[in-house]
Amino acid sequence: MGKPSGFMEFKRLNEAYLPVDQRLKNYNEFVQTLTDEQSKVQGARCMDCGIPFCNNGCPINNIIPDWNDLVYRGKWQEALTVLHSTNNFPEFTGRICPAPCEAACTLNIDQAAVGIKSIEHAIIDKGWESGWVIPQPAIKKTGKKVAVVGSGPAGLAAAQQLARAGHAVVVFEKNSRVGGLLRYGIPDFKFEKSHIDRRMDQMRAEGVEFRTSVWVGKNMPGKGTANDAQTTVSPDELMKEFDAVVLSGGSETPRDLPVPGRELQGVHFALEFLIPQNKEVAGDGRNPIHADGKHVVVIGGGDTGSDCVGTSNRHGATAVTQFEVMPRPPELENGPLTWPYWPLKLRTSSSHEEGCERDWSVTTKEFIGENGKLSGLKAARVEWKDGKLSEVAGSEFIVKADLVFLAMGFTNPIQAMLDAFGVEKDGRGNANASTEGKGCYQTNVPKVFAAGDVRRGQSLVVWAIREGRQAARAVDEFLMGSSVLPR
């Protein structure tokens, strides 16, 4: 805990943003990290609540009260050690995690949770600036080799843990750069890619090898926005070369909207827009989709939709509208009913604040166009009746649209990869592997493990890191009979 009376003396302070007119000029991060003194005051607000629900609210069980207290006392390097004890990449989570820990904070009952995410952000940034984040190579090598397929947060976490346990680790990535959807799915204005590059340098120094532009499977699929592969490695080759394989790819199959006019030019999946934009920012070619001077409609109210909004505004879109089929959530959650669980409430992102018309309870019935090119969409109001979503009679309306981005979530990982390994799948098309008991994270195929979105489905970066760490321990136990890696 921090100061015993701190939660009564100090108010919650949120991280500040640069003004909208400044941040729309580029793709740089614009969140202003708390100063040391501000972080100390916010750490002081961590109360002696008896049961720190924040620990359980955090999927990787960050030891939050401890590092809050250490920041309050000015022991920054110790705070970093505690933070790293559960989280390999706090600079990732401190920027893009939605902070379920804060929803679980006891002070959130009063709508004023401890600023856990902002303190985490401050700790890791200070750690890098101070030179405290250094490689931790294994003292002794085991002679075992592990292949990690997919370089998103689950794969990177698994690779780093396994390398520190003394195994020789090779990470395979089908794109030309490492990071998965951290690299290609999340815009740079939310998460600059230098954070990934810095960790890659650390991991290389710890013995991790990265092989990019490699498709792991039997037949390489066609090239696309999320596949830069130049060579193919078969599962049989991996199984011969490595003692264990960890599948850690993302949930990359987007949910489609099969309504009339879907084939019109101008209707795109969200990642068909976001991935090329991240490549353009990295200097890897121009984004073929540009929103400048156009009326943009984003279908889907989640984070990916918000990213389309922010990117469209940076392009100079004339207007941006976002539709969500579910009803508008309440402004504030019902704390006594939902705490300490993740609440249903209206969430307004920084991208929304930059310019966006939002509408709820809307379904898209048809895309409208001329000569094969999109010009608008026909929508209607919906409502819940008898437990089902029904269209409101006479509620149809037409919206002008030059571009539509479908951001309705992802259904499953790449099936061709799982099929190539012969991995059994669950009813949703994810790799079937339990997280409990002996043999956790193991698939039905000997030596093959699965972690992250490829196993649990579309989820948060913090869940991916958790699964990568836990899978690493399972692999270490499989190879060595026991493990000292934390679970």
Side-chain angles (χ1 to χ4, degrees), residues 290-339:
H290 265 258
D292 48 308
K294 296 181 179 178
H295 289 78
V296 176
V297 176
V298 179
I299 300 177
D303 288 339
T304 304
S306 172
D307 294 343
C308 289
V309 171
T311 303
S312 297
N313 282 327
R314 280 161 179 75
H315 277 203
T318 297
V320 182
T321 304
Q322 186 174 26
F323 288 149
E324 168 58 54
V325 72
M326 300 301 291
R328 179 186 175 109
E331 293 284 341
L332 297 174
E333 70 264 35
N334 186 336
L337 179 65
T338 60
W339 179 86

Side-chain angles (χ1 to χ4, degrees), residues 55 98-100 186 201 213 244 266 314 336 340 346 367 430-431 474:
N55 286 4
I186 300 172
D201 291 341
S213 299
R314 280 161 179 75
L346 181 65
F367 297 116
N430 300 320

Side-chain angles (χ1 to χ4, degrees), residues 251-275:
S251 184
E252 298 184 35
T253 307
R255 185 171 283 108
D256 206 348
L257 186 59
V259 299
R262 171 64 181 87
E263 75 287 350
L264 290 170
Q265 179 185 345
V267 182
H268 304 275
F269 288 120
L271 291 186
E272 292 175 344
F273 177 51
L274 297 177
I275 291 175

